[in-house]
Amino acid sequence: MKRLKILLLLWVASVSVMAQTEELDTFSIDSVDVALPWPQNVQYRLDSLMQSPLFETSMVGMVIYDLTADSVLYKVNERQAMRPASTMKLVTAITALDRLGGSHQFRTQLYYTGSVENHTLYGDLYCVGGFDPAFNVDDMRAFVESVQRMGVDTIRGRIVADKSMKDADLFGEGWCWDDDNPKLSPLSHGRDIEFLERFSEKLSEAGVVLNQIRFAESNLPNEAFLLCSRFHTMDQILQRMMKMSDNFYAEAMFYQLGAIGGRRPARAKDAAQVVKQLIQKVGNGKNPYRVADGSGLSLYNYVTPELEMRLLRYAYRNSQIYQHLLPSLPIAGRDGTLKTRMKGTFAEENVKAKTGTVTGVSALAGYCMSANGHQLCFSIINQGIMKSDSGRDFQNQVCNALCAP
């Protein structure tokens, strides 16, 4: 009798679903799913959402995993190869935290050769790039001040860029030519790759005479002396990379993976190989995927929702990863790329997830807590959508369904 009652309720619900309008935001928690026990109530809500006319012209890959119960709560097209857009940054971040650790530093260093006589440096200054995307005005000031502390007011030599940390490719494979793409130099001042010019300008402003100074590119010689070292931490890079979905920061982290073990120059394919090793480790090595860059800008990236879920689960089970990853994720209704989303819903300030948007793709992957206290992770990738808002609305409704009582 009880089973018959549940089936009757589901039939009534299905009639209601057929009457839904095309707008996803009409979905709300109703009396039918409240009457169902966990997790059937959540599964009913998600089944209802899957009836949307949105999927007459587009598709979705989705998997919800109950971390507390250690089981899949819901899945659809979870093994379909899809473009991840900026949820690729999750793949990069988890791999970096796994292989480099939370104490990893992104460094830019200043060395000199030669000698100082009568306040004049008879030698060269070497700026060594370690692909720190956050090198800023304070760091440049520290470089200039380190020269001044030597008592140098004149330089007779060269200012040299050592960019040997990575290859010479300024753009990623599969990037669209008409996008506003960052230039991938391991030696940059913010996003300005004319590092030596900016450095020389600041030296001149500080009163350092540059007599017929010449710029050059060369590897750091063994006899060079360290003058100044500036760095930013893994957490500092993660914050902007994830909260603001900064592509430049993500590529900097990607090439840190390529440089593991002192490999010079680091290449995208080296970094991709490191990512693939972790993919193999979490059990998805035989499924279709392709890693082309670290940010998700490339149209050549292909992952599966199941892969993203497995990586999120792996991170959750590893405190050394999770304690750095979770604070970096945008929080629904509060900050980052989720600041304006899910406001006034059960998902507000509950969902912590990475967004992703490129033409035809909208994605969301991360964590939330259900009303019964279970910790969940999820990956949702909408493909073939003409308006990104359609994908975002669907994802918002999914998250609300997961968090509602």
Side-chain angles (χ1 to χ4, degrees):
M1 190 69 180
K2 182 177 180 182
R3 178 179 175 81
L4 180 62
K5 181 178 180 181
I6 291 176
L7 289 173
L8 179 62
L9 289 171
L10 289 174
W11 177 81
V12 171
S14 67
V15 174
S16 174
V17 167
M18 294 302 292
Q20 281 185 336
T21 66
E22 186 171 350
E23 294 297 323
L24 286 167
D25 58 7
T26 59
F27 174 78
S28 61
I29 308 304
D30 59 33
S31 58
V32 175
D33 64 64
V34 168
L36 295 173
W38 170 271
Q40 285 81 10
N41 58 345
V42 174
Q43 292 162 343
Y44 159 72
R45 296 167 192 169
L46 297 177
D47 282 339
S48 299
L49 286 173
M50 288 302 300
Q51 302 305 311
S52 167
L54 175 66
F55 302 117
E56 294 176 5
T57 57
S58 68
M59 69 175 296
V60 65
M62 175 168 61
V63 58
I64 318 297
Y65 195 86
D66 187 332
L67 292 162
T68 304
D70 195 18
S71 61
V72 174
L73 192 153
Y74 195 88
K75 61 184 179 179
V76 57
N77 297 324
E78 76 280 4
R79 293 187 177 178
Q80 179 68 45
M82 295 178 163
R83 291 172 177 166
S86 280
T87 60
M88 192 70 190
K89 293 181 176 70
L90 269 175
V91 180
T92 303
I94 292 171
T95 306
L97 287 167
D98 184 59
R99 292 299 305 274
L100 301 172
S103 62
H104 181 76
Q105 297 175 345
F106 297 69
R107 290 187 175 275
T108 308
Q109 297 176 304
L110 180 63
Y111 287 79
Y112 76 95
T113 60
S115 60
V116 177
E117 299 176 18
N118 298 321
H119 305 290
T120 299
L121 173 61
Y122 293 93
D124 301 328
L125 291 175
Y126 280 81
C127 302
V128 182
F131 214 149
D132 178 3
F135 189 94
N136 56 35
V137 292
D138 292 333
D139 299 312
M140 186 65 82
R141 185 181 303 113
F143 267 30
V144 173
E145 290 174 352
S146 69
V147 173
Q148 292 177 311
R149 282 196 298 271
M150 284 202 304
V152 170
D153 59 24
T154 304
I155 297 175
R156 294 185 180 275
R158 304 175 302 165
I159 299 182
V160 183
D162 183 341
K163 301 179 182 180
S164 61
M165 181 265 187
K166 74 173 289 292
D167 60 23
D169 294 341
L170 291 179
F171 300 106
E173 180 189 19
W175 287 11
C176 291
W177 64 270
D178 56 348
D179 283 347
D180 184 18
N181 297 317
K183 293 182 179 179
L184 305 180
S185 170
L187 186 62
S188 63
H189 183 197
R191 283 163 171 74
D192 186 354
I193 66 172
E194 304 300 327
F195 190 98
L196 300 189
E197 289 80 352
R198 303 293 85 78
F199 182 36
S200 65
E201 289 172 4
K202 295 303 178 182
L203 284 170
S204 295
E205 290 174 7
V208 179
V209 177
L210 307 175
N211 285 339
Q212 298 180 333
I213 200 72
R214 292 178 296 127
F215 298 143
E217 287 192 23
S218 180
N219 292 356
L220 182 71
N222 293 332
E223 67 272 16
F225 300 97
L226 179 63
L227 192 55
C228 184
S229 182
R230 302 289 291 183
F231 69 88
H232 288 89
T233 66
M234 176 68 82
D235 287 335
Q236 288 173 312
I237 304 304
L238 275 174
Q239 279 291 310
R240 183 169 182 88
M241 169 183 166
M242 305 298 275
K243 295 280 190 186
M244 307 309 297
S245 198
D246 194 301
N247 296 317
F248 186 54
Y249 279 53
E251 294 303 327
M253 189 167 290
F254 189 60
Y255 276 93
Q256 303 295 319
L257 293 173
I260 282 177
R263 186 184 292 111
R264 295 291 187 274
R267 300 168 298 176
K269 68 178 184 180
D270 298 325
Q273 187 58 40
V274 177
V275 176
K276 290 173 184 177
Q277 290 169 0
L278 181 59
I279 291 173
Q280 187 74 36
K281 184 177 180 179
V282 300
N284 269 64
K286 295 182 179 179
N287 289 336
Y289 63 87
R290 185 174 179 192
V291 178
D293 68 11
S295 63
L297 276 175
S298 178
L299 299 179
Y300 299 163
N301 288 311
Y302 278 94
V303 302
T304 65
E306 183 184 54
L307 169 60
E308 291 193 335
M309 177 275 289
R310 284 176 180 262
L311 287 169
L312 287 165
R313 183 180 64 182
Y314 178 77
Y316 177 77
R317 292 172 174 176
N318 188 327
S319 62
Q320 297 304 310
I321 297 176
Y322 193 66
Q323 67 177 333
H324 296 282
L325 178 67
L326 189 66
S328 75
L329 294 174
I331 302 173
R334 182 191 295 180
D335 64 17
T337 54
L338 286 180
K339 185 174 183 179
T340 62
R341 291 177 59 176
M342 306 181 210
K343 283 185 174 292
T345 73
F346 292 105
E348 183 176 1
E349 297 198 2
N350 183 334
V351 168
K352 300 172 180 65
K354 183 71 200 73
T355 58
T357 306
V358 296
T359 301
V361 179
S362 179
L364 187 70
Y367 302 97
C368 67
M369 183 173 289
S370 63
N372 69 344
H374 283 214
Q375 187 72 43
L376 311 178
C377 70
F378 60 86
S379 172
I380 311 165
I381 305 179
N382 291 92
Q383 305 269 263
I385 54 175
M386 296 298 102
K387 295 182 180 179
S388 57
D389 283 348
S390 299
R392 286 194 286 266
D393 289 344
F394 174 76
Q395 295 150 20
N396 292 349
Q397 295 293 343
V398 168
C399 290
N400 188 46
L402 297 178
C403 299

